[in-house]
Each structure stands twice: as C-alpha cells, then as structure tokens.
Amino acid sequence: MRSTPGRGTAAGGRAPDAGGEPGGGPAGKWWPLAAIALGNFLLLVDVTIVNTALPRIADGLGATLTSLQWVLDIYALALAALLMVAGSAADLYGRRRLYVAGLTLFALASLACGLAPDAGVLIAARAVQGVGAAAMFATNTPLLMAAYQGRDRGVAFGVWGGTNGAAAAIGPVLGGMLTEYADWRAIFLVNLPLTAVAVWITLRRVPESHGELPRPRTDPVGDIPVTRRIDWPGAACFTACAGGLTYGLIRGGEQGWTESGTLTALGGAVLALLVFVAVELRVRRPLLDLRLLRRPVFAALLAAALLLQAAAFPYLTFVGLWVQNILGLSPVQAGLAATPMALVALLVGALGGRPLQRMAPQLPVGVGLLLVGAGVWLEYALLDDGAGWTALVPGLAVCGLGIGTAMPVLVSAALGAVPPQRAGMASGAVNTFNQLGYALGIALLGTVFADALHGIGPGASRTAVAAAHVTGLTDILLISGTVAPAGGLLVLAVVRRGAGDDGAGDRAGAAAAVAPARAGTPGGA
C-alpha cells in the first residue's frame, strides 16, 4: 500500500532525518527498518518467552494451571481478535501514529506484568500487552512498504522477516536465561528499554503514511459503496466469539462441560458468531468479506492456518512444564530443548523458499501439515514414563521440517486465491487465524493436560506425578498428531494452482520474498 501524499510522508518513501528532512545518507535510510524490526521482534518473542518461565511464575504467584493457560492465551487472543481492526485503524488514523501507540501500550503493559502481585493482574496486563502487539503487528508491513522502494524494499523485508525466525529460535532460550539468572519478572521488564529505543527511532526516522482514499468510490467487488469507517460492530462480535470460545474451553476442563458457566460461555460464542455473520453481510466495509469464504481454496487455507498453529506450537508449552517440573531441567535447558523445531524450520524456510514457491501450493502446504503430524506422532511413539527430553528431538526436527515447508507458502497462496482488491483483508485474515489457532490450541490442549493431572492427590508420590504428566502429554500429542494431518488432507483435496487466482501473482511473489523467514514462528507471524 502506498503512502498518501500530503500526509507527512517524505517524497519517494524515504524516511526523514532528525530534522525532518528526507535522506540521511546510505546508512541513515535503514533507521525505519531498525525501528520496525525491533518492535516486530519484541511482540513475537513475547509469544514464546513466557513458556520457560511458567514454573517460576506458578511458584512466585501461586498460579494454577488454568491461570498459566490464561497468561499465555490472553496475549494471543487479544492479538488475534484485534489484528484486522488495527489494520483498518492504521489506514485511517496513520500507521506510524498507531505503531507508536502500540509500542507505548506494549511497554506500559510489560511494566505491569513485571510488577504483577498476583496471577489476575498478570493476566489482565498480558491482555493489554496483546492489544499493543496487535497495533504493532498490523502496521509493520505497511510502514515498510511506505519507507522503501525497489531493491531496498526487498532487503528491508528480508531483514524484517529474519527477525520472525530469530524470535522463534531465541524466545524460549532468552526466557530461560532471564528466568534462571535474574527473575521471571525480567522477561517482561526487558521490553521497557527496547520499546523506548523503538519509539525514539520511529518518531525521528519513520515517515507517516495512511491508507489511500478508495478510487473509484465504489468497491470493484460487488459494487459496494466504499466508506472509511471502521467496522467496530464486526470487531466486537469477533472478539466476543473468540473470547467466549476460549473461555468456555478452559472453564469446561476446570469446572465440567455441563456446568452453567461453561455452557453460557460456549453458547455466547455461538451467538456472537451468528451476529458477526449478520453484521458482516450488512455493513458497507466489513472487517472480513464473507464472500471470500465462498472460494474453497481461500477457506481451506484459512483452516490450514488455524490447524497448523493449533497442532505445531501449543503442545510445547506443556512439554516445557514436563521437562522442568518432572525431569528437573533448568529454564535455560528447557528453552534449548525446544529449539530443534525452530532451527530446522528456519533452515528449511531460508534454503527452500524459492523452490517451494515454484511448486503447486497444495504440495508444500499439505505435505508440510502431514510432516507436522508425522513429527508429533513420532514424539508420541517415543514418549513413555522413562523417557528423557532427548526422546522428543527427532519428532521436533520432523515438525520443524513440516513448518518450514508449509509456512513460506501459506500466506502467498492465500493472497493468490482472492481478488487484488482484497489482498490486505486476506493477509489480515490469515494472520488472525494463525493467532486464533495458537490461542485455541493452548485452551483445548491445556484442558486435556489438566484433566490428566486432576487425579493427583496432595500426598501423591513423585512417580505418580511423573506418570500423570506423561499421560497428559501423550493425550495432547494424540490430538495434535490428528489435527495436523486432517488439515494437510483438506489442503491436498481442495487447493489447486490457479484455483481462485484473480491475477494475484505479483502479490504472491512479494509475499514469497519474505515468507521463508517467517517459518517456525509461533502464531504464524
């Protein structure tokens, strides 16, 4: 998306220097990239940096397993629920302005997380952190598009995408190091100086940009009159649906599936979904044009985005609890134990990005999901009461192979399945379903894991506790190992090269340039 002339954007997309003038020399032109990549790294690291700190958080705050689920889930849920509306707000009010607001909110919420006196405050602060992250994430790509042109744009997106892969690999290890050598609160407080740097650079060097005024004044798809209003009713209904479903899944595992609160939450989620559909069919500028879901290819790829994230990443949270609470690994060792997946995914995505993009999209996406399923099943086969953490390494590597194969193609394939006028909406929908898959995966698998631990009494032996953890892990691996192949078979059956492609090859090619570096990032960022 190009920046709108007259809105404070330097000519030619060049960032202003400290005095507000364009230029700044060959090195100075990369300041916008530094600011945006830093913010992107922070918001993605915070998806996984918490994992290795969970046992210490539980000890420090007396948090239950349900509370720990919410510490993880509420961040991803807020990010998923607000991502599309944040993109609309950025186009309307200014992308740099919203990015700075997101960074500021993210920093204040991080401070509240680091000072939280109990689990309730920590969960609330994590929700606010997710709101800030949504504003940051939604503005990353448009700001880079406005700041760079030509070859510089390719370099910028390559570096920006590399931060995604780095966040996936570094997050658990960094969280372990800060937890082990400082305190679990440090995983949040470390955000403060880094966000301050990102804000400072952004205000001095990143040009402002807005979404272009629609031309013509009638939407090319369906002759719908165009407005610049944000679909707040649609956003509210989508948030209520996602939140109600997540809450219902977690509460159902804790209180029972026939308990009144559980039924109310799940029923409310269904009602919110129905209202969302009704709203989106009536508003002039919907948050998500539901007619896109009539395209089988696009609908299948959205489902694949959700199922891939739900199957590939959430179970690692409970693996982290097992290796620390039962096997006695330190937080740093626990972080290192999960890195084979991220490293293999990053390597495959980086080396195989171009060849994968030349293939029919159903092959890398579908086969990638099947490989994720095979990796999870391998972990399931090797895990028993006497297993150590090394039993998971082969399966994690195979999962990483599947993630690195599927992720680079998923976004570009989705963009190629919609009309050009809906590219931004399609990209936002895929990223939203990625985050939603992670959030729902944590909720569902956490419920199953907690059920396995419910039978442990206060005086249970260490052997019984260890056996319960292994039972819980095998149960959630069984689910993840079933979900991923189901998504793969769906993609292989439905998605075809050229199906639903309305001349979106250029967009797909642009997405392909940055997608390889996204492989291995929880949340699909």
Side-chain angles (χ1 to χ4, degrees):
M1 301 175 71
R2 297 188 301 273
S3 57
T4 305
R7 292 278 194 172
T9 304
R14 294 290 298 276
D17 65 8
E21 296 299 326
K29 68 181 179 181
W30 299 116
W31 281 114
L33 172 61
I36 296 164
L38 179 57
N40 186 56
F41 179 82
L42 289 174
L43 77 91
L44 293 177
V45 160
D46 265 59
V47 177
T48 57
I49 197 173
V50 180
N51 287 7
T52 47
L54 288 178
R56 300 289 178 90
I57 293 174
D59 293 339
L61 300 181
T64 64
L65 180 60
T66 298
S67 296
L68 296 180
Q69 282 180 261
W70 277 113
V71 170
L72 291 171
D73 235 1
I74 199 67
Y75 179 83
L77 187 60
L79 181 53
L82 299 176
L83 193 54
M84 288 189 288
V85 73
S88 299
D91 287 346
L92 183 58
Y93 299 116
R95 291 147 181 169
R96 185 182 74 162
R97 179 179 299 172
L98 194 69
Y99 183 61
V100 170
L103 282 167
T104 304
L105 189 62
F106 185 85
L108 293 174
S110 296
L111 177 61
C113 289
L115 300 178
D118 54 52
V121 173
L122 178 59
I123 292 168
R126 284 282 284 174
V128 179
Q129 214 184 18
V131 175
M136 295 157 63
F137 193 20
T139 50
N140 271 198
T141 302
L143 284 173
L144 286 178
M145 293 285 284
Y148 298 102
Q149 304 293 330
R151 181 175 296 180
D152 286 349
R153 180 179 289 178
V155 173
F157 272 110
V159 173
W160 172 81
T163 64
N164 297 348
I170 293 173
V173 180
L174 179 61
M177 292 178 64
L178 291 172
T179 300
E180 186 169 345
Y181 298 116
D183 185 76
W184 67 262
R185 298 179 185 274
I187 66 175
F188 301 111
L189 298 178
V190 72
N191 292 334
L192 299 179
L194 297 177
T195 49
V197 171
V199 168
W200 183 78
I201 299 174
T202 301
L203 292 175
R204 291 174 62 88
R205 298 285 186 170
V206 178
E208 181 62 281
S209 68
H210 295 70
E212 290 186 284
L213 287 170
R215 292 192 304 267
R217 294 298 297 169
T218 299
D219 192 313
V221 181
D223 295 329
I224 301 175
V226 170
T227 69
R228 287 176 59 85
R229 296 177 182 175
I230 298 174
D231 179 17
W232 292 114
C237 291
F238 182 81
T239 302
C241 177
L245 179 58
T246 304
Y247 180 78
L249 290 174
I250 293 177
R251 187 179 180 94
E254 185 181 24
Q255 302 292 336
W257 297 105
T258 59
E259 190 261 341
S260 59
T262 302
L263 295 176
T264 300
L266 296 176
V270 173
L271 179 61
L273 177 61
L274 295 175
V275 175
F276 174 74
V277 171
V279 168
E280 297 307 277
L281 291 174
R282 294 177 64 87
V283 297
R284 293 183 173 183
R285 191 81 167 169
L287 193 68
L288 175 62
D289 188 346
L290 297 181
R291 290 171 299 180
L292 295 179
L293 299 181
R294 297 175 186 171
R295 297 167 174 261
V297 172
F298 183 69
L301 290 170
L302 280 187
L306 187 145
L307 295 176
L308 176 59
Q309 295 298 323
F313 298 109
Y315 78 90
L316 295 178
T317 299
F318 308 101
V319 168
L321 294 176
W322 173 64
V323 298
Q324 289 191 67
N325 291 339
I326 303 303
L327 301 185
L329 269 62
S330 69
V332 173
Q333 291 171 326
L336 290 171
T339 55
M341 175 191 287
L343 293 178
V344 172
L346 185 58
L347 182 64
V348 172
L351 297 180
R354 289 189 181 277
L356 290 171
Q357 292 293 334
R358 297 190 185 103
M359 300 171 65
Q362 73 270 21
L363 294 178
V365 178
V367 172
L369 277 159
L370 293 178
L371 285 171
V372 169
V376 174
W377 277 109
L378 183 57
E379 294 174 56
Y380 175 84
L382 296 178
L383 184 64
D384 56 38
D385 291 344
W389 70 270
T390 54
L392 301 179
V393 171
L396 289 172
V398 175
C399 281
L401 178 62
I403 295 166
T405 302
M407 287 295 289
V409 183
L410 185 57
V411 175
S412 58
L415 294 183
V418 301
Q421 298 85 1
R422 289 291 182 262
M425 182 180 289
S427 177
V430 172
N431 286 325
T432 295
F433 273 66
N434 275 331
Q435 299 294 337
L436 190 59
Y438 185 80
L440 294 178
I442 290 287
L444 178 60
L445 298 185
T447 295
V448 174
F449 189 76
D451 187 61
L453 303 185
H454 278 165
I456 302 175
S461 67
R462 182 171 181 81
T463 301
V465 173
H469 276 72
V470 171
T471 299
L473 280 180
T474 53
D475 288 345
I476 64 177
L477 289 172
L478 185 64
I479 295 173
S480 297
T482 303
V483 165
L489 294 175
L490 173 66
V491 169
L492 291 172
V494 174
V495 178
R496 292 289 182 271
R497 181 188 291 277
D501 193 328
D502 294 282
D506 291 340
R507 292 192 317 279
V514 302
R518 299 180 181 183
T521 306

